[in-house]
Amino acid sequence: MKSVAQVMIRWSVQNGIITIPISSNPKRIDENADIFDFTLDQDDMTALLSNYKLLLINYSSILGEHSRVVLHMDPSTGV
């Protein structure tokens, strides 16, 4: 069974979104890297996307404390 984090990282990879998960917990670091032994089918990809209309990407560690990018995503198209 995969964790929520693994599923979301896998979703990002399959959508061509560069994702850099960050953790100081060695177990979670290993878990976050273990996403290449499964794929999400189109139904799963669509179901995940249909639950989120906004994708918040937090770049605070790179660009500063209040730097974020918010992307509006249309659930029907994924764009």
Side-chain angles (χ1 to χ4, degrees):
M1 182 174 215
K2 297 299 182 180
S3 71
V4 172
Q6 286 172 304
V7 170
M8 296 313 296
I9 294 167
R10 183 65 205 181
W11 181 90
S12 297
V13 167
Q14 284 184 224
N15 278 291
I17 299 169
I18 297 169
T19 303
I20 304 171
I22 297 171
S23 178
S24 60
N25 181 317
K27 181 181 178 229
R28 286 195 184 127
I29 292 169
D30 289 341
E31 185 180 273
N32 289 342
D34 187 24
I35 61 156
F36 296 102
D37 62 344
F38 73 103
T39 58
L40 300 172
D41 63 27
Q42 191 57 48
D43 289 339
D44 291 334
M45 298 285 284
T46 302
L48 288 167
L49 187 60
S50 69
N51 289 314
Y52 298 96
K53 292 185 179 175
L54 292 177
L55 175 63
L56 173 65
I57 303 173
N58 187 343
Y59 290 102
S60 62
S61 63
I62 298 169
L63 301 176
E65 184 178 342
H66 301 291
S67 300
R68 290 191 299 259
V69 176
V70 178
L71 304 172
H72 175 75
M73 300 182 81
D74 180 341
S76 64
T77 63
V79 179

